[in-house]
Amino acid sequence: MSQQVRLLLAAALVLGAGCAHKPATLSSDTLSRLEQTPGGYLAGAPKELGDGPVLNNKDFVWSLDFSPDSSRVAYTHLGSKFYLLGLWTLGTPPVLVSDKNVNTYEADLEAVAFSADGGLLATAGRDGAVRLFDGATGEPKGQVVTEEPLTAVAFHPSGRYIVAGSARGLVSIFTLPQLSFIFESRAHMGQVSALAFARDGTLYSGGWDKHVRVWATREEALRTDQARVLFERRGGFTVVRGAVNGKAQVTFAVDTRAPAIILTTEAAGQAGIDVAFLKETVTVPTPLGNTVARLARAQSLRFKSMPVEGVDIAVCDVCVPSGAQGVLGTPFTDRFDVSFDESTHEAILTSKAGPAPGAETQGLTLAPQADFAFEGYVNDVTLDAKGLRLGVAFSEEKAERSRAVYEREKKGVQEPTAAFNAGALVDAASGRILQKWSIHGGVVSSAGISPDGRSLVTGGWDKRVLLLTEGQEQLQGQRGFGWSVRRVRFSPDGRWIGVAAWTPQNPIGDQESDPAAALFQVLYESASVERR
């Protein structure tokens, strides 16, 4: 462990033992005005990064976010068998509130975000799930599983919707707290790397197609007589996914020969059907002859925004082909046309009778507003407090952890600086780069803009966190880490910078290593208090 990191850890322990976490350069009057100003934040030129508490020095930490009032911080990290969500209150000292298993280690937990009022937390991962948690306690509040691996998540400022971005460029909108599907748009040709909302609901999305796109959001009537859902070919069947009774996400094989809509016993239980209490039965043919299945009347299906009400479902394990949890038979295909868009791998389900009476609904939609193209891959996008400026992280190669990358790291080969291995301040209205710093070696993975829009904190695969200010080429501060930096963020009040990083893992003894989730004080030359 380096001497620099040892000193950082020592300082963190001292702070954690009871010292107040207050920037030494802030006057008591400034602190008092900040605490008494709702939505207030510090504005001014930072002069340095001060020491702060280390929250994790054992794991790979993937993402990090502050609550809107800057009183809590949450991060996702990889334990021995599971990805976890850690939640801390930033008291004196910081207190770990919750550290819960979220999903198994096979699916990276890429993103975490607080809602605008701080009441909810959300994670998004490559298992396709958006998960909700209580923002104060960390207790689970619900989940929805989408059709694509997820890489970004953000709450709409109204508190009624949540938006998720996928590794294949899809941006999807769900209601809160129900997590019902509302709308989707193929926003990028490649991974969605970031989602950021302005207070007026404008959405900024960044992607590996080298674009930042701007979306107007508005509530409008949604089409409920058609849905586009991904399909796969499995064992001679076309398989699609839908929800049953608003509780279970089920993979259905489409089979026009089957005389019923069918679920396995396990899927029926997940959908809230108490199979043991079903009295009616129906005969269903199978490859081995007819079988008698129990029948659940008047159930509901949903394919994205399209509801299918009043369906009877047979429960039969031997009637469902391998690789599926259910079958959409003739009771479904008699009511809905099924066609296929091979270019997008989507099945188009269309009601033959048109929208069902009373099925009309309102929901949030996205409309293209602007498109900013850049020369580098966009790895992160953040927005200042007034929605005027963006902080953007770029790289000249995709930020993918390939074998070649690992081999260079093992050999200690330093990645080169380059024009678009950079962090930048960008005008949110025009997409014009106001100032760009090409200081990192290799990928710049993250860029957090200060609340006042004048400064930027960047993190990269060169193991460095850099603090930069408009109009100045030199650094206002930097810190080194044991491995790649994944996420950097200013706290909404401007007092803290949070860092999520990977750390060289130590399998023996106390298993402690270099900092992986850490906070640093932002020390200002002078600071004023502004309001959002």
Side-chain angles (χ1 to χ4, degrees), residues 373-396:
F374 299 97
E375 295 178 42
Y377 294 98
V378 176
N379 298 320
D380 196 12
V381 179
T382 52
L383 194 63
D384 71 7
K386 294 184 177 179
L388 301 178
R389 290 182 168 188
L390 306 174
V392 184
F394 296 107
S395 60
E396 298 215 342

PDB file of all heavy atoms in Angstrom, residues 373-396:
ATOM      1  N   ALA A 373     -23.083  15.635 -31.107  1.00  0.00           N
ATOM      2  CA  ALA A 373     -22.126  14.614 -31.527  1.00  0.00           C
ATOM      3  C   ALA A 373     -20.718  15.049 -31.144  1.00  0.00           C
ATOM      4  O   ALA A 373     -20.360  16.226 -31.269  1.00  0.00           O
ATOM      5  CB  ALA A 373     -22.218  14.389 -33.030  1.00  0.00           C
ATOM      6  N   PHE A 374     -19.908  14.079 -30.696  1.00  0.00           N
ATOM      7  CA  PHE A 374     -18.547  14.359 -30.255  1.00  0.00           C
ATOM      8  C   PHE A 374     -17.570  13.402 -30.927  1.00  0.00           C
ATOM      9  O   PHE A 374     -17.972  12.429 -31.572  1.00  0.00           O
ATOM     10  CB  PHE A 374     -18.444  14.245 -28.738  1.00  0.00           C
ATOM     11  CG  PHE A 374     -19.331  15.213 -27.994  1.00  0.00           C
ATOM     12  CD1 PHE A 374     -20.578  14.818 -27.519  1.00  0.00           C
ATOM     13  CD2 PHE A 374     -18.927  16.524 -27.794  1.00  0.00           C
ATOM     14  CE1 PHE A 374     -21.396  15.708 -26.848  1.00  0.00           C
ATOM     15  CE2 PHE A 374     -19.740  17.422 -27.124  1.00  0.00           C
ATOM     16  CZ  PHE A 374     -20.979  17.017 -26.650  1.00  0.00           C
ATOM     17  N   GLU A 375     -16.294  13.654 -30.743  1.00  0.00           N
ATOM     18  CA  GLU A 375     -15.264  12.807 -31.343  1.00  0.00           C
ATOM     19  C   GLU A 375     -14.882  11.636 -30.454  1.00  0.00           C
ATOM     20  O   GLU A 375     -14.193  10.723 -30.902  1.00  0.00           O
ATOM     21  CB  GLU A 375     -14.019  13.653 -31.649  1.00  0.00           C
ATOM     22  CG  GLU A 375     -14.252  14.715 -32.707  1.00  0.00           C
ATOM     23  CD  GLU A 375     -13.007  15.548 -32.945  1.00  0.00           C
ATOM     24  OE1 GLU A 375     -11.907  14.959 -32.997  1.00  0.00           O
ATOM     25  OE2 GLU A 375     -13.130  16.784 -33.055  1.00  0.00           O
ATOM     26  N   GLY A 376     -15.293  11.656 -29.189  1.00  0.00           N
ATOM     27  CA  GLY A 376     -14.969  10.580 -28.266  1.00  0.00           C
ATOM     28  C   GLY A 376     -16.220   9.858 -27.788  1.00  0.00           C
ATOM     29  O   GLY A 376     -17.340  10.371 -27.880  1.00  0.00           O
ATOM     30  N   TYR A 377     -16.005   8.643 -27.273  1.00  0.00           N
ATOM     31  CA  TYR A 377     -17.100   7.895 -26.660  1.00  0.00           C
ATOM     32  C   TYR A 377     -17.526   8.590 -25.371  1.00  0.00           C
ATOM     33  O   TYR A 377     -16.681   9.042 -24.583  1.00  0.00           O
ATOM     34  CB  TYR A 377     -16.670   6.463 -26.360  1.00  0.00           C
ATOM     35  CG  TYR A 377     -16.381   5.661 -27.611  1.00  0.00           C
ATOM     36  CD1 TYR A 377     -15.074   5.501 -28.064  1.00  0.00           C
ATOM     37  CD2 TYR A 377     -17.417   5.079 -28.339  1.00  0.00           C
ATOM     38  CE1 TYR A 377     -14.800   4.767 -29.215  1.00  0.00           C
ATOM     39  CE2 TYR A 377     -17.158   4.347 -29.488  1.00  0.00           C
ATOM     40  CZ  TYR A 377     -15.849   4.201 -29.925  1.00  0.00           C
ATOM     41  OH  TYR A 377     -15.591   3.483 -31.059  1.00  0.00           O
ATOM     42  N   VAL A 378     -18.826   8.686 -25.155  1.00  0.00           N
ATOM     43  CA  VAL A 378     -19.364   9.365 -23.975  1.00  0.00           C
ATOM     44  C   VAL A 378     -19.556   8.339 -22.864  1.00  0.00           C
ATOM     45  O   VAL A 378     -20.354   7.409 -22.999  1.00  0.00           O
ATOM     46  CB  VAL A 378     -20.695  10.068 -24.305  1.00  0.00           C
ATOM     47  CG1 VAL A 378     -21.291  10.693 -23.050  1.00  0.00           C
ATOM     48  CG2 VAL A 378     -20.490  11.125 -25.387  1.00  0.00           C
ATOM     49  N   ASN A 379     -18.838   8.517 -21.749  1.00  0.00           N
ATOM     50  CA  ASN A 379     -18.883   7.565 -20.640  1.00  0.00           C
ATOM     51  C   ASN A 379     -19.684   8.042 -19.441  1.00  0.00           C
ATOM     52  O   ASN A 379     -20.057   7.227 -18.586  1.00  0.00           O
ATOM     53  CB  ASN A 379     -17.458   7.246 -20.178  1.00  0.00           C
ATOM     54  CG  ASN A 379     -16.642   6.590 -21.266  1.00  0.00           C
ATOM     55  OD1 ASN A 379     -17.144   5.751 -22.011  1.00  0.00           O
ATOM     56  ND2 ASN A 379     -15.379   6.986 -21.386  1.00  0.00           N
ATOM     57  N   ASP A 380     -19.938   9.337 -19.350  1.00  0.00           N
ATOM     58  CA  ASP A 380     -20.682   9.868 -18.202  1.00  0.00           C
ATOM     59  C   ASP A 380     -21.181  11.247 -18.547  1.00  0.00           C
ATOM     60  O   ASP A 380     -20.530  11.988 -19.311  1.00  0.00           O
ATOM     61  CB  ASP A 380     -19.770   9.919 -16.970  1.00  0.00           C
ATOM     62  CG  ASP A 380     -20.537  10.076 -15.657  1.00  0.00           C
ATOM     63  OD1 ASP A 380     -21.773   9.912 -15.669  1.00  0.00           O
ATOM     64  OD2 ASP A 380     -19.890  10.347 -14.622  1.00  0.00           O
ATOM     65  N   VAL A 381     -22.348  11.602 -17.995  1.00  0.00           N
ATOM     66  CA  VAL A 381     -22.936  12.933 -18.174  1.00  0.00           C
ATOM     67  C   VAL A 381     -23.567  13.348 -16.855  1.00  0.00           C
ATOM     68  O   VAL A 381     -24.354  12.598 -16.274  1.00  0.00           O
ATOM     69  CB  VAL A 381     -24.009  12.956 -19.279  1.00  0.00           C
ATOM     70  CG1 VAL A 381     -24.619  14.356 -19.416  1.00  0.00           C
ATOM     71  CG2 VAL A 381     -23.436  12.499 -20.616  1.00  0.00           C
ATOM     72  N   THR A 382     -23.211  14.540 -16.365  1.00  0.00           N
ATOM     73  CA  THR A 382     -23.855  15.105 -15.179  1.00  0.00           C
ATOM     74  C   THR A 382     -24.292  16.528 -15.497  1.00  0.00           C
ATOM     75  O   THR A 382     -23.836  17.143 -16.471  1.00  0.00           O
ATOM     76  CB  THR A 382     -22.904  15.102 -13.974  1.00  0.00           C
ATOM     77  OG1 THR A 382     -21.656  15.728 -14.337  1.00  0.00           O
ATOM     78  CG2 THR A 382     -22.624  13.673 -13.515  1.00  0.00           C
ATOM     79  N   LEU A 383     -25.167  17.069 -14.655  1.00  0.00           N
ATOM     80  CA  LEU A 383     -25.817  18.352 -14.917  1.00  0.00           C
ATOM     81  C   LEU A 383     -25.661  19.251 -13.698  1.00  0.00           C
ATOM     82  O   LEU A 383     -25.778  18.781 -12.558  1.00  0.00           O
ATOM     83  CB  LEU A 383     -27.295  18.110 -15.208  1.00  0.00           C
ATOM     84  CG  LEU A 383     -28.140  19.210 -15.819  1.00  0.00           C
ATOM     85  CD1 LEU A 383     -27.637  19.584 -17.206  1.00  0.00           C
ATOM     86  CD2 LEU A 383     -29.597  18.761 -15.904  1.00  0.00           C
ATOM     87  N   ASP A 384     -25.403  20.534 -13.921  1.00  0.00           N
ATOM     88  CA  ASP A 384     -25.281  21.445 -12.785  1.00  0.00           C
ATOM     89  C   ASP A 384     -26.652  21.771 -12.206  1.00  0.00           C
ATOM     90  O   ASP A 384     -27.689  21.334 -12.716  1.00  0.00           O
ATOM     91  CB  ASP A 384     -24.505  22.711 -13.174  1.00  0.00           C
ATOM     92  CG  ASP A 384     -25.272  23.644 -14.111  1.00  0.00           C
ATOM     93  OD1 ASP A 384     -26.468  23.408 -14.374  1.00  0.00           O
ATOM     94  OD2 ASP A 384     -24.668  24.620 -14.603  1.00  0.00           O
ATOM     95  N   ALA A 385     -26.666  22.516 -11.095  1.00  0.00           N
ATOM     96  CA  ALA A 385     -27.898  22.723 -10.337  1.00  0.00           C
ATOM     97  C   ALA A 385     -28.968  23.466 -11.123  1.00  0.00           C
ATOM     98  O   ALA A 385     -30.164  23.240 -10.918  1.00  0.00           O
ATOM     99  CB  ALA A 385     -27.584  23.472  -9.044  1.00  0.00           C
ATOM    100  N   LYS A 386     -28.558  24.341 -12.029  1.00  0.00           N
ATOM    101  CA  LYS A 386     -29.527  25.142 -12.775  1.00  0.00           C
ATOM    102  C   LYS A 386     -29.791  24.606 -14.169  1.00  0.00           C
ATOM    103  O   LYS A 386     -30.536  25.215 -14.941  1.00  0.00           O
ATOM    104  CB  LYS A 386     -29.053  26.596 -12.829  1.00  0.00           C
ATOM    105  CG  LYS A 386     -29.045  27.241 -11.445  1.00  0.00           C
ATOM    106  CD  LYS A 386     -28.678  28.711 -11.473  1.00  0.00           C
ATOM    107  CE  LYS A 386     -28.752  29.305 -10.070  1.00  0.00           C
ATOM    108  NZ  LYS A 386     -28.369  30.744 -10.048  1.00  0.00           N
ATOM    109  N   GLY A 387     -29.191  23.471 -14.524  1.00  0.00           N
ATOM    110  CA  GLY A 387     -29.450  22.854 -15.819  1.00  0.00           C
ATOM    111  C   GLY A 387     -28.837  23.584 -16.989  1.00  0.00           C
ATOM    112  O   GLY A 387     -29.313  23.441 -18.117  1.00  0.00           O
ATOM    113  N   LEU A 388     -27.770  24.330 -16.751  1.00  0.00           N
ATOM    114  CA  LEU A 388     -27.163  25.121 -17.807  1.00  0.00           C
ATOM    115  C   LEU A 388     -25.926  24.471 -18.412  1.00  0.00           C
ATOM    116  O   LEU A 388     -25.593  24.724 -19.572  1.00  0.00           O
ATOM    117  CB  LEU A 388     -26.779  26.507 -17.267  1.00  0.00           C
ATOM    118  CG  LEU A 388     -27.933  27.341 -16.707  1.00  0.00           C
ATOM    119  CD1 LEU A 388     -27.404  28.659 -16.161  1.00  0.00           C
ATOM    120  CD2 LEU A 388     -28.993  27.577 -17.768  1.00  0.00           C
ATOM    121  N   ARG A 389     -25.237  23.636 -17.625  1.00  0.00           N
ATOM    122  CA  ARG A 389     -23.998  23.043 -18.092  1.00  0.00           C
ATOM    123  C   ARG A 389     -23.958  21.552 -17.786  1.00  0.00           C
ATOM    124  O   ARG A 389     -24.520  21.089 -16.788  1.00  0.00           O
ATOM    125  CB  ARG A 389     -22.789  23.730 -17.438  1.00  0.00           C
ATOM    126  CG  ARG A 389     -22.562  25.151 -17.928  1.00  0.00           C
ATOM    127  CD  ARG A 389     -21.335  25.738 -17.276  1.00  0.00           C
ATOM    128  NE  ARG A 389     -20.930  26.986 -17.930  1.00  0.00           N
ATOM    129  CZ  ARG A 389     -19.808  27.629 -17.663  1.00  0.00           C
ATOM    130  NH1 ARG A 389     -18.962  27.136 -16.740  1.00  0.00           N
ATOM    131  NH2 ARG A 389     -19.503  28.740 -18.293  1.00  0.00           N
ATOM    132  N   LEU A 390     -23.228  20.847 -18.650  1.00  0.00           N
ATOM    133  CA  LEU A 390     -23.012  19.416 -18.472  1.00  0.00           C
ATOM    134  C   LEU A 390     -21.555  19.159 -18.133  1.00  0.00           C
ATOM    135  O   LEU A 390     -20.657  19.858 -18.618  1.00  0.00           O
ATOM    136  CB  LEU A 390     -23.347  18.654 -19.762  1.00  0.00           C
ATOM    137  CG  LEU A 390     -24.729  18.855 -20.381  1.00  0.00           C
ATOM    138  CD1 LEU A 390     -24.796  18.140 -21.725  1.00  0.00           C
ATOM    139  CD2 LEU A 390     -25.814  18.358 -19.446  1.00  0.00           C
ATOM    140  N   GLY A 391     -21.321  18.134 -17.319  1.00  0.00           N
ATOM    141  CA  GLY A 391     -19.994  17.568 -17.162  1.00  0.00           C
ATOM    142  C   GLY A 391     -19.968  16.261 -17.923  1.00  0.00           C
ATOM    143  O   GLY A 391     -20.814  15.399 -17.712  1.00  0.00           O
ATOM    144  N   VAL A 392     -19.008  16.101 -18.845  1.00  0.00           N
ATOM    145  CA  VAL A 392     -18.991  14.930 -19.726  1.00  0.00           C
ATOM    146  C   VAL A 392     -17.615  14.267 -19.658  1.00  0.00           C
ATOM    147  O   VAL A 392     -16.584  14.942 -19.702  1.00  0.00           O
ATOM    148  CB  VAL A 392     -19.317  15.309 -21.186  1.00  0.00           C
ATOM    149  CG1 VAL A 392     -19.386  14.062 -22.060  1.00  0.00           C
ATOM    150  CG2 VAL A 392     -20.635  16.081 -21.253  1.00  0.00           C
ATOM    151  N   ALA A 393     -17.627  12.934 -19.547  1.00  0.00           N
ATOM    152  CA  ALA A 393     -16.400  12.136 -19.587  1.00  0.00           C
ATOM    153  C   ALA A 393     -16.290  11.449 -20.935  1.00  0.00           C
ATOM    154  O   ALA A 393     -17.249  10.815 -21.399  1.00  0.00           O
ATOM    155  CB  ALA A 393     -16.404  11.096 -18.472  1.00  0.00           C
ATOM    156  N   PHE A 394     -15.104  11.553 -21.572  1.00  0.00           N
ATOM    157  CA  PHE A 394     -14.874  10.987 -22.896  1.00  0.00           C
ATOM    158  C   PHE A 394     -13.717   9.991 -22.865  1.00  0.00           C
ATOM    159  O   PHE A 394     -12.848  10.037 -21.992  1.00  0.00           O
ATOM    160  CB  PHE A 394     -14.492  12.086 -23.898  1.00  0.00           C
ATOM    161  CG  PHE A 394     -15.540  13.111 -24.172  1.00  0.00           C
ATOM    162  CD1 PHE A 394     -15.417  14.399 -23.661  1.00  0.00           C
ATOM    163  CD2 PHE A 394     -16.644  12.812 -24.955  1.00  0.00           C
ATOM    164  CE1 PHE A 394     -16.366  15.370 -23.922  1.00  0.00           C
ATOM    165  CE2 PHE A 394     -17.605  13.777 -25.222  1.00  0.00           C
ATOM    166  CZ  PHE A 394     -17.471  15.054 -24.706  1.00  0.00           C
ATOM    167  N   SER A 395     -13.692   9.118 -23.866  1.00  0.00           N
ATOM    168  CA  SER A 395     -12.507   8.300 -24.126  1.00  0.00           C
ATOM    169  C   SER A 395     -12.401   8.039 -25.621  1.00  0.00           C
ATOM    170  O   SER A 395     -13.413   8.019 -26.326  1.00  0.00           O
ATOM    171  CB  SER A 395     -12.546   6.977 -23.355  1.00  0.00           C
ATOM    172  OG  SER A 395     -13.683   6.211 -23.710  1.00  0.00           O
ATOM    173  N   GLU A 396     -11.182   7.850 -26.088  1.00  0.00           N
ATOM    174  CA  GLU A 396     -10.973   7.612 -27.517  1.00  0.00           C
ATOM    175  C   GLU A 396     -11.237   6.161 -27.892  1.00  0.00           C
ATOM    176  O   GLU A 396     -11.454   5.860 -29.065  1.00  0.00           O
ATOM    177  CB  GLU A 396      -9.559   8.037 -27.919  1.00  0.00           C
ATOM    178  CG  GLU A 396      -9.324   9.522 -27.704  1.00  0.00           C
ATOM    179  CD  GLU A 396      -8.421  10.145 -28.745  1.00  0.00           C
ATOM    180  OE1 GLU A 396      -7.699   9.398 -29.427  1.00  0.00           O
ATOM    181  OE2 GLU A 396      -8.446  11.390 -28.879  1.00  0.00           O
TER     182      GLU A 396
END
